[in-house]
Amino acid sequence: MKRLFLFIGCLSLGLYTASCDKYLDIEPEGKIIPKSTDDYRKLITTAYFAYPRHKALTTIRTDEVQVPVMDNSDFAEIRDVFVYNDQSPSDGTREYGYQDLYKVIFYANQTINDGTGTMQTGDTKEQLLGEAHALRAMAYFDLVNFFAKPYDPATAATEPGIVILNEVDLDNKRPKSTVAEVYNQIHADIDAAKSKLKVTTYDAGMNYRFSKLALFALEARVNLYQKKFEAAIVSAESALAIKNTLQNLNADTKESVAHFKSVESIMNLEDVFKTSYKSFVFASEELKTSYDQTNDLRYTSSFDDLNGNLVLVKTGNGDTKISFRTAELYFIKAEAYIFLNQLDQATATLEPIIENRYKAEAVTARVEQLKSFDQTAYKKYILEERFREFAFEGQRWFDLRRLDQKKIVHKLGNEEFTLQQNDPRYTLPFPRKARENNPNL
């Protein structure tokens, strides 16, 4: 009965403003329990729209950004993020989406646990259950990569992770599962989704939802982060067999590769940068100088030069929502081949990227450069190339965490704030409210 009342209360808060921040605070308001597939489509849509805009915050922590302008009212909410003040941030500081991700998991749980027995049998039911499993997997994946150390095969079985919460728990004081256990749960959800999803791809405008294509993309990313390189290649190839289109920047530099209508679009759920930040958060000098500004077409297609500041145009535009796109699949395959020391295959995988990102006259030299790399040089190159390709898409923080926890210095006026090499702050602390509610965190 408690679970029934809890579900009613959460639904009563509405499609876009639903809040289950504290499970104990929910009160029933007489809403009808969902039973039909239409009811559960509305519920899972609530889960999608609850997905947080948290990757804009991790971008603020990286070497992608500089903040030369501090007189903007929105700066206050990210100042402590920019200066790595995680232990005592001001009350107005934006949070990383911990509660929102568990809210997403809550709605996915309700769809899986209750919808299985109440929805009418058929493909629509299976699709909804598949989406719920996939969305839960993605939420757990984000949580473990925010609030636990990067996956290390040698320590994952003992390293503390995050709480797995697949059932409503009114006390909500469960201990953390290990990183390995969390990844096992992620794979269990991915496998369940594979057996249920019916939609191979969604059209633009509806592709905030999980499809078979998006699920393979998620699986490829998960396997890569776990250093399961052979499995990452298989998953990426499964996705590329469905869609492998790249946007040719030689022909089109006006439409962002992160636009929800881009030919590269796989799943566009997340708004990875906040529009209001673009007036004071600019590309760092390190990012700017990493581009071949003469031949790399990503430079002019991603940024505008405004009085010496490199202003973002690639994301943060409302219609540039991005979770997965085809270019990432090529990069996942290439990185996996590099770590397997299969360098010729890595080069063959990256050639289409080079051809679609660089001016035609520069392609041959770039490809020859790849062929000259040994494994060590190639590992360095793939991180740098991801820096350029996925700038301001919310991937850099996670790439640094898993591949190169470098020293980063952020300047604010005359002050400097440093994230040291292998700094413990590469793993975020659990939010204060979460620690107060669950002392096991």
Side-chain angles (χ1 to χ4, degrees), residues 229-243:
F229 299 120
E230 293 91 346
I233 291 168
V234 171
S235 301
E237 288 179 339
S238 296
L240 288 167
I242 299 172
K243 184 174 184 176

Side-chain angles (χ1 to χ4, degrees), residues 63-64 246 249 286-287 289-292 295-299 302-303 314 325 327-328 330-332 334-335 338 346-347 349-359 362-363 366-367 369-370 373 377-393 395-396 399-400 402-403:
D63 53 353
E64 294 172 281
L246 292 170
L249 295 184
E286 184 172 354
L287 178 58
T289 58
S290 75
Y291 289 98
D292 174 352
N295 296 303
D296 191 338
L297 297 165
R298 291 170 298 190
Y299 181 75
S302 299
F303 306 100
K314 179 185 182 184
R325 59 184 177 90
E328 184 183 356
Y330 289 87
F331 275 89
I332 288 173
E335 183 179 326
I338 291 166
T347 298
T349 301
L350 286 175
E351 277 193 59
I353 296 289
I354 301 298
E355 291 168 357
N356 284 279
R357 298 299 187 252
Y358 288 85
K359 290 180 179 178
V363 169
R366 282 287 171 179
V367 173
Q369 179 190 30
L370 301 187
F373 289 150
Y378 223 144
K379 286 180 180 180
K380 182 175 184 291
Y381 172 83
I382 197 69
L383 180 59
E384 292 172 347
E385 191 67 6
R386 286 182 65 94
F387 190 30
R388 294 181 282 267
E389 176 68 28
F390 303 111
F392 286 86
E393 292 186 39
Q395 296 219 40
R396 181 62 172 173
D399 285 347
L400 289 173
R402 64 189 181 86
L403 294 174

Side-chain angles (χ1 to χ4, degrees), residues 109-144:
N109 287 345
Q110 295 307 312
T111 303
I112 295 164
N113 298 339
D114 293 342
T116 298
T118 57
M119 281 188 281
Q120 56 269 42
T121 301
D123 286 352
T124 302
K125 172 183 178 178
E126 294 301 295
Q127 176 67 26
L128 287 166
L129 292 174
E131 289 184 39
H133 277 289
L135 194 56
R136 187 167 73 180
M138 184 170 163
Y140 279 135
F141 181 66
D142 275 354
L143 282 164
V144 78

